[in-house]
Amino acid sequence: MEAFELNAEKRTAKGRAENRRLRRTGRVPAIIYGGNGEPVMLTLEHNDLEHHLDNEAFFSHIVKIHVDGGQTEEVVLRALQRHPAKPFIEHADFLRIVAGEALRMSVPLHFVGEDECPGVADEDGVVQHNMNDIEIECLPRNLPEYIEVDCTKLHLHDSVHLSELVLPEGVEIVELMGDEEDQHDRTVVSVQVPRAAIELEAEEEAEAEAAAAEAAEGEEGESEEGAEDGDSEDAGDDSSEDEDK
């Protein structure tokens, strides 16, 4: 696992005006809370934090924050607030971790073997991701960067559920914890017929139904015309009989 470290400065002033001032100077307001300590208000260097956020592992990794003055906190990123229209980070929340105390985190899923699985390579299917991350519970020392999902043996219409994932030692999936009735064994990934093929098949079926209906209408029309012709001939025969009389 990679090591992530940030340098921070303590702040005492708070409020919207102070936060705006900090952002104008290239600093990000942040806070550390939880664990066995009091909340600590900090500021981080914006570009340094942004650089770390480019690495997916940062979101599910223990981070060491060195606070100006010698204090070092071990934390995990809990929440991130970004500007709705500009590429700026506005605030960061970090949860203090405690050795020996379990924590819950969302970790990303890494899918392997998608291109070579039989459902894709031989059966013209496509891989459909139903989940991209999962919430786990574990001790800080067991926190994984990601969970691997093996797709190498999937055929068309096969799937992998949460209960089938191979987890590192000491890691549990939150949705599978508790009583059986409270568990949600959701589908993580599956191999399905491509949407384009389904739409094409539906379109062809609709065209076939329309053609059949049109043909049926044509046959019905011909039948009605035949019946009308028969009635006309019968009427002509009756007229001839009257004239003979």
Side-chain angles (χ1 to χ4, degrees), residues 60 105-109 132-136 143-147:
S60 57
M105 288 287 295
S106 290
V107 297
L109 297 172
N132 291 310
D133 56 64
I134 58 172
E135 187 178 17
I136 62 169
L143 182 62
E145 290 186 8
Y146 59 85
I147 301 295

Side-chain angles (χ1 to χ4, degrees), residues 221-236:
E222 290 178 0
S223 176
E224 290 177 354
E225 288 179 4
E228 290 176 358
D229 292 342
D231 292 342
S232 299
E233 289 176 1
D234 291 341

Side-chain angles (χ1 to χ4, degrees), residues 89-196:
I89 304 161
E90 297 196 324
H91 197 276
D93 291 5
F94 294 93
L95 175 66
R96 185 184 288 112
I97 65 171
V98 179
E101 185 175 303
L103 73 159
R104 291 188 176 186
M105 288 287 295
S106 290
V107 297
L109 297 172
H110 283 194
F111 300 88
V112 297
E114 294 178 299
D115 294 336
E116 59 263 29
C117 73
V120 173
D122 304 323
E123 299 163 1
D124 298 325
V126 294
V127 175
Q128 178 176 309
H129 296 170
N130 296 82
M131 305 175 68
N132 291 310
D133 56 64
I134 58 172
E135 187 178 17
I136 62 169
E137 180 174 294
C138 65
L139 294 175
R141 66 174 181 270
N142 295 328
L143 182 62
E145 290 186 8
Y146 59 85
I147 301 295
E148 190 172 277
V149 184
D150 186 4
C151 303
T152 54
K153 297 181 180 179
L154 295 181
H155 286 268
L156 194 63
H157 304 304
D158 283 351
S159 59
V160 176
H161 290 79
L162 287 173
S163 60
E164 299 173 280
L165 297 180
V166 179
L167 302 174
E169 183 180 356
V171 176
E172 293 185 86
I173 297 174
V174 172
E175 291 192 79
L176 300 182
M177 296 173 62
D179 297 332
E180 187 173 341
E181 60 183 16
D182 297 326
Q183 297 179 11
H184 302 283
D185 193 11
R186 294 198 289 157
T187 299
V188 177
V189 62
S190 61
V191 180
Q192 302 294 338
V193 177
R195 182 179 296 275

